[in-house]
Amino acid sequence: MSTGMELIINHQQKFFGEAPASLEELMQLEAPGKSKGIAVAVNNQVVPKTQWASTVLRDKDFILIITATQGG
């Protein structure tokens, strides 16, 4: 982990004292235990789950987390 980082997650600014090393690490913080039914875009680019671990985040990145919901 590196020093602090500001990310915009679902249109809300969020500051991390210790920056997540990857998108996968961020998702473990933001949606612990959830991996199915989630789509993530970084700076308007959808990132496949297979690339979360290798996707490095940068200060001020815009992240959109979409969770599928069930309903009737």
Side-chain angles (χ1 to χ4, degrees):
M1 287 194 191
S2 57
T3 57
M5 174 186 288
E6 180 184 331
L7 298 171
I8 291 73
I9 301 173
N10 291 354
H11 306 286
Q12 295 186 4
Q13 283 183 311
K14 200 160 193 182
F15 183 79
F16 294 85
E18 289 191 26
S22 66
L23 178 57
E24 181 177 62
E25 194 172 301
L26 173 69
M27 292 307 296
Q28 289 171 355
L29 295 170
E30 292 296 304
K34 295 180 184 176
S35 62
K36 293 186 178 182
I38 295 179
V40 182
V42 177
N43 300 322
N44 297 316
Q45 294 280 344
V46 174
V47 179
K49 188 172 193 288
T50 56
Q51 294 178 13
W52 287 5
S54 62
T55 301
V56 177
L57 300 175
R58 292 177 176 76
D59 195 41
K60 309 254 193 284
D61 272 351
F62 177 83
I63 297 158
L64 186 62
I65 301 170
I66 301 168
T67 306
T69 57
Q70 295 180 336

